[in-house]
């Protein structure tokens, strides 16, 4: 496998909400030689189920292997690949920014441009929430010099396939 | 009915039809053993001398009978001692249920005495594993464990039960069925794909069946036989697929891969259509993946979808049991035009026969010849259990197997020390069949404490210890790749294993001379009860031909 064939693949996994399932899934993926770029997990409308959104790097064939391997975990109910041309995805980033008198307005302007929200503020700066694609969160953080960014916490991406257009008509 | 957790466990095992348990006691399973004592007449408890031995024994029991092997061990070191046995079973898809004691619930995570995170440790080597936190879950968990271990692609399942949960009183009600969301093995091959195979077979002039461990595990040897015979399709096997056809069948071309026969590998490289049945295409079979079966279209049948396309790309994948797929193929009227191909293979085989001697030591006691002789002398229903290394490959090449489940060997993990305890399991599970263990001097010394188990239960296991004074398979690689620097492979000061057997109360004999081989092997085959034959074989013998790791199957080394 050549490096340039590697792309990000998003896989949505529905699992039974049992203790230890998350570690079984992640250890299986890493054991089989894949790197997890991002992982997000949360309950579904059915409280007995969890949905994970996993992003792995690999070529098409190896990502197909991951999906098959995930089914080996008895608690895996459904593995669905997310179609890159037809997906919606969101990530939340919380960013703690240093902003003293001179730079506070500038930061608030940027938050506006990114349709973010200030969810905390203090004399030293703000905590800002940015919601969107990973790239959007990345580029927001990239606007500021590293010493201004005090802390970053991100959820990892959650993703879904869009409604099929035929059905919604 | 209100019962203690330990009692519920035992009752549940009985309801699953368990009549034999390989178990080693300890602090956190005393109460389970105490309950088992009450059912002595219904469950046979086999006490090994080491938990690893007990686990391999359960494995040998399962491989030879097709019923799941059951193991009970205590927490901590008892459980960790089963790890090699569980991993061995996992790699070869052997159904097994391992029950481990665990420290009390409130002590879990506190580094308590004899505590180990068994669920964490066994996660990568089990099909599923469970920590039971309440006695009310025991019955359901046992039901689930047996269902998982034996259906779909079989495998080991671990149930970890804390001591206080075993002592807890709860009401007992055994479930009739279980519902596992998401776990629905696909049993029947897709009809459209089966139709495609039929079309491909009609087109093919050089068809070939590769029989893997799945054929043995699913008990489909008869069906493979029938397909091969009726349609005229030659058969090769993997290490785990031995016993697929009668050993003298013209269509059977032996094992393939690194230690395959020349003619088996020739068949793979020249076939135009391959039906791979229950094969996982391990690196030992495939060599250089890009050069594997270059002329063939590949039909890959497996119960586990993850095996299809893992190592070798399939032209036609079929997910389902071998039974269902071959059932459909056997019913179909498929004229296969393979006469010319079979003639070609028969000629090739006669021109490149296997050589049962050590060319470096003519007249010496060649291990290959010894095993070939054993194959002629032992009855055809014999179950052969090997260890790992040269002894294993010689057994695979020279014994000759005619039945499924008659060759038990650690294929995937390559576990030295497997032979002796697995032979115990085979003997326990098959009192009506002869069991022959073939081991090397290295592997035999890894679990020889189990001689005591053979003695204790008077198991009539025949043991052939092939002693060449080396860890021979590694020595062979050192000859090939490391300029004969025999680092760490010399064992020329082995003990007298025949005398050792006598110490354990088992009849022992020593063989040094080729001319005595026939008589002594006959004694081994015919004696009542267990016997150990310590054979000092030609130390320079190698497993040949061989394909070096990662090389295409044509690049055969015929002489080292």
């Amino acid at each position: 496998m050549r490096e340039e064939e590697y792309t990000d693949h998003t896989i949505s996994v529905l699992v039974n909400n049992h203790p230890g399932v998350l570690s079984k899934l992640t250890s299986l993926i890493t054991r089989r030689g894949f790197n997890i770029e991002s992982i997000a997990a949360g309950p579904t409308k059915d409280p007995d189920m969890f949905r994970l959104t996993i992003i792995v790097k690999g070529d098409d064939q190896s990502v197909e292997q991951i999906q098959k391997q995930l089914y080996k975990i008895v608690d895996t109910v459904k593995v669905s690949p997310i179609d890159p041309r037809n997906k919606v995805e969101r990530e939340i980033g919380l960013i703690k920014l240093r902003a003293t008198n001179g730079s506070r307005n500038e930061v608030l302007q940027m938050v506006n441009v990114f349709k973010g929200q200030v969810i905390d503020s203090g004399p030293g700066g703000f905590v800002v929430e940015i919601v969107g694609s990973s790239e959007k969160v990345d580029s927001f953080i990239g606007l500021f010099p590293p010493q201004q960014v005090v802390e970053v916490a991100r959820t990892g991406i959650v993703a879904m396939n869009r409604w099929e257009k035929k059905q919604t008509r | 009915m209100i019962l203690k957790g330990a009692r519920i466990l035992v009752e549940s095992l009985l309801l699953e039809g368990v009549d034999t348990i390989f178990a080693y006691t300890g602090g956190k399973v005393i109460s389970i053993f105490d309950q088992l004592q009450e059912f002595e007449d219904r469950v046979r408890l086999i006490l090994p001398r080491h938990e690893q031995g007990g686990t391999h024994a359960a494995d040998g029991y399962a491989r030879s009978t097709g019923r799941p092997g059951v193991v009970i061990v205590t927490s901590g070191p008892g459980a960790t001692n089963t790890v090699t046995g569980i991993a061995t079973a996992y790699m070869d898809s052997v159904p097994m249920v391992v029950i481990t004691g665990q420290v009390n619930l409130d002590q879990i995570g506190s580094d308590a005495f004899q505590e180990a995170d068994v669920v964490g440790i066994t996660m990568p080597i089990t099909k599923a594993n469970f920590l039971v936190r309440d006695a009310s879950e025991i019955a359901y968990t046992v039901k689930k464990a047996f269902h998982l271990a034996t259906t779909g692609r079989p495998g080991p399942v671990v149930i970890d039960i804390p001591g206080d949960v075993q002592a807890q009183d709860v009401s007992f009600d055994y479930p009739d069925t279980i519902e596992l969301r998401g776990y629905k093995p696909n049993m029947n091959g897709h009809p459209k794909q089966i139709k495609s195979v039929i079309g491909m077979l009609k087109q093919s002039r050089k068809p070939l069946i590769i029989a893997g461990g799945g054929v043995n595990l699913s008990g489909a040897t008869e069906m493979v036989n029938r397909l091969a015979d009726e349609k005229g399709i030659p058969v090769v096997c993997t290490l785990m697929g031995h016993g697929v056809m009668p050993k003298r069948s013209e269509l059977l071309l032996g094992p393939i891969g690194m230690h395959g026969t020349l003619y088996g590998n020739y068949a793979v490289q020249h076939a135009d259509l391959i039906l791979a049945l229950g094969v996982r295409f391990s690196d030992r079979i495939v060599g250089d993946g890009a050069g594997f079966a270059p002329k063939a279209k590949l039909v890959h049948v497996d119960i586990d979808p993850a095996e299809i396309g893992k190592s070798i790309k399939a032209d036609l994948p079929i997910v389902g049991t071998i039974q269902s797929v071959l059932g459909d193929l056997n019913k179909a009227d498929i004229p296969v035009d393979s006469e010319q191909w079979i003639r070609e293979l028969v000629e090739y085989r006669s021109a490149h026969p296997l050589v049962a001697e050590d060319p470096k030591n003519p007249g010496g006691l060649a291990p290959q010849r010894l095993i070939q002789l054993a194959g002629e002398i032992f009855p055809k229903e014999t179950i052969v259990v090997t260890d790992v290394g040269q002894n294993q490959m010689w057994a695979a090449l020279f014994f000759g197997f005619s039945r499924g489940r008659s060759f038990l060997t650690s294929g995937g993990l390559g576990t030295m020390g497997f032979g002796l305890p697995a032979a115990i399991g085979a003997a326990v599970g098959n009192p009506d069949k002869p069991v022959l263990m073939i081991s090397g001097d290295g592997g035999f010394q890894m679990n020889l404490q189990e001689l005591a188990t053979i003695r204790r239960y008077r198991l009539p296991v025949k043991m052939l210890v092939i002693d060449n004074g080396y860890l021979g398979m590694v020595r062979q690689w050192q000859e090939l790749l490391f300029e004969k620097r025999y680092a760490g492979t010399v064992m020329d000061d082995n003990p007298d294993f025949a005398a050792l057997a006598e110490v354990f109360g088992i009849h022992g004999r020593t063989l040094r001379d080729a001319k005595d081989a026939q008589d002594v092997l006959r004694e081994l085959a015919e004696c009542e009860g267990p016997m150990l034959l310590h054979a000092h074989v030609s130390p320079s013998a190698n497993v040949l031909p061989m394909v070096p790791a990662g090389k295409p199957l044509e690049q055969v080394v015929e002489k080292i």
Side-chain angles (χ1 to χ4, degrees), chain A residues 16 18-20 23-24 27 31-32 46 48-49 61 64-65 68-69 71-77, chain B residues 90 119 123-124 127-130 133 144 148 153 180-183 304-310 313:
Chain A
N16 289 316
H18 289 165
S23 73
K24 277 184 192 178
S27 78
R31 194 165 73 232
R32 298 273 171 183
D46 178 346
D48 294 338
M49 303 276 221
Q61 199 210 338
E64 191 190 318
Q65 247 312 299
K68 288 174 170 177
Q69 295 288 343
Y71 271 118
K72 285 194 167 181
I73 293 168
V74 169
D75 279 312
T76 301
V77 175
Chain B
Y90 182 70
V119 166
M123 199 183 283
K127 184 168 171 185
N129 60 15
F130 307 101
R133 291 179 177 275
K144 195 157 64 172
L148 289 169
R153 181 179 185 168
L180 292 172
R181 240 152 134 179
Y183 179 78
D304 181 358
E307 284 308 337
I308 294 173
K310 189 179 81 177
K313 206 178 158 301

Side-chain angles (χ1 to χ4, degrees), chain B residues 18 34 92 258 282 354:
Chain B
V18 173
D34 191 55
D92 292 340
M258 176 182 282
S282 94
L354 275 173

